[in-house]
Amino acid sequence: MKNAKIIGVGNGNNRSLEPFVANYRKLYNGKCVVILQKQDNHSKAFLKATLSETKITQSITF
């Protein structure tokens, strides 16, 4: 990740014991959410997420 930091992650599973501030999260019903904070408003930020079991990668620039 560039020009941003993770301030929270979640998946909707209230039984999960995973931390809310981390750089990983297991999917729950195929979904998870990451909350980011840009550190520099004048440049783009980049996030890359990978599903480890299948090696599927998704990238987003904002």
Side-chain angles (χ1 to χ4, degrees):
M1 183 168 27
K2 293 181 186 177
N3 297 325
K5 69 177 184 175
I6 297 173
I7 59 172
V9 291
N11 62 8
N13 182 357
N14 61 358
R15 294 183 180 180
S16 176
L17 298 176
E18 294 174 299
F20 286 107
V21 179
N23 64 352
Y24 63 92
R25 176 61 70 165
K26 290 182 181 177
L27 297 179
Y28 180 66
N29 289 332
K31 298 177 183 175
C32 72
V33 65
V34 60
I35 301 167
L36 303 171
Q37 181 179 30
K38 281 182 76 172
Q39 295 183 344
D40 179 7
N41 288 331
H42 301 292
S43 60
K44 293 183 179 180
F46 177 80
L47 172 71
K48 180 179 177 181
T50 303
L51 182 59
S52 60
E53 295 87 19
T54 62
K55 307 293 188 221
I56 295 173
T57 300
Q58 180 69 43
S59 299
I60 184 170
T61 302
F62 58 97

